[in-house]
Amino acid sequence: FSERLVYPWERDSFTKKSPLGKIPFIETEEGGLSESQAILEYLEECFPAIPLYPKARFARAKCRELIQHLELNAEWVARRLYKECFFGGRVSQETKDEARERLVKGLQAVSKLTQFAPFACGPEFTAADCVAFVHFTMIRKATLAIYGEDFVEQLIPEVAAYMIRMDARPHFRTIMADRDVALEIFGRTGVAYEG
């Protein structure tokens, strides 16, 4: 694959590939595909020799379950804080209080589903690790900035050693370095956050 750098303010140029102009999206020979879960499952089907999901049916379902909880009950809640955390805007105290309560519940649910043995869903690297590393990083940054506390490490103590293992993976270092550059550019340009 080849990677192409695009920014949210360029969304009009790629809405045919990603209907809401959201990042990430991929361009395939058949057309554009957006939404992380759809992309992961497409890649799983395209490259079955390098699986992102466990082989056993129930283990695959548990992997998808963990991803859903990470995305819907943790990261999506933390995203309400990003405007203030990363983009210089303000978030109401009511939003902060509601996000705190919902994040605690969401991360407690995630803690019940993660194994860290040594990966999020057990002995094999899966799509859940692709999701967990990025979301844990962003949630940690948001809760530290807004509340002065690392909710992820408080509620999921095993995550510290897990994050060190994941951070040792070269692709993860590249992804996070790219994300840090993008966040810095967004902050410098004053582009409104529409999260």
Side-chain angles (χ1 to χ4, degrees):
F1 71 93
S2 61
E3 188 174 12
R4 194 176 68 154
L5 183 62
V6 295
Y7 296 102
W9 55 85
E10 300 171 334
R11 68 176 31 109
D12 290 342
S13 70
F14 56 80
T15 55
K16 288 182 180 163
K17 298 171 183 110
S18 176
L20 289 175
K22 290 173 65 178
I23 302 167
F25 68 90
I26 62 172
E27 297 175 85
T28 74
E29 291 177 4
E30 293 107 342
L33 185 63
S34 62
E35 296 299 335
S36 299
Q37 188 68 23
I39 293 168
L40 285 171
E41 292 187 19
Y42 172 80
L43 294 173
E44 180 78 357
E45 292 177 13
C46 288
F47 304 100
I50 309 168
L52 289 170
Y53 292 91
K55 289 187 194 301
R57 182 177 53 216
F58 187 70
R60 275 195 316 274
K62 293 301 284 183
C63 182
R64 289 186 178 106
E65 178 187 31
L66 174 56
I67 290 169
Q68 288 295 105
H69 278 279
L70 278 162
E71 291 187 341
L72 299 177
N73 301 318
E75 195 280 332
W76 192 254
V77 177
R79 191 175 291 194
R80 298 180 69 199
L81 306 171
Y82 292 178
K83 181 178 182 180
E84 184 169 327
C85 176
F86 299 115
F87 304 105
R90 288 283 169 236
V91 175
S92 73
Q93 188 60 47
E94 180 182 0
T95 296
K96 291 177 187 178
D97 292 344
E98 182 184 339
R100 174 189 283 272
E101 183 179 329
R102 291 183 60 209
L103 264 173
V104 167
K105 289 178 183 175
L107 289 170
Q108 286 172 336
V110 167
S111 74
K112 293 175 184 176
L113 296 170
T114 48
Q115 296 178 28
F116 303 121
F119 299 105
C121 285
E124 298 173 347
F125 181 86
T126 68
D129 296 294
C130 298
V131 173
F133 183 80
V134 174
H135 289 340
F136 284 154
T137 299
M138 297 304 284
I139 295 166
R140 290 172 96 175
K141 288 181 178 191
T143 60
L144 280 166
I146 301 298
Y147 307 110
E149 303 173 53
D150 180 345
F151 284 16
V152 176
E153 200 161 313
Q154 285 176 8
L155 297 166
I156 313 172
E158 306 88 350
V159 86
Y162 169 79
M163 295 297 280
I164 291 168
R165 285 192 302 276
M166 294 301 101
D167 194 45
R169 299 175 74 90
H171 285 93
F172 280 92
R173 283 197 302 270
T174 301
I175 290 165
M176 296 317 292
D178 289 349
R179 177 171 275 196
D180 289 344
V181 168
L183 286 172
E184 194 274 324
I185 290 169
F186 296 161
R188 194 174 61 229
T189 59
V191 173
Y193 176 70
E194 301 176 19

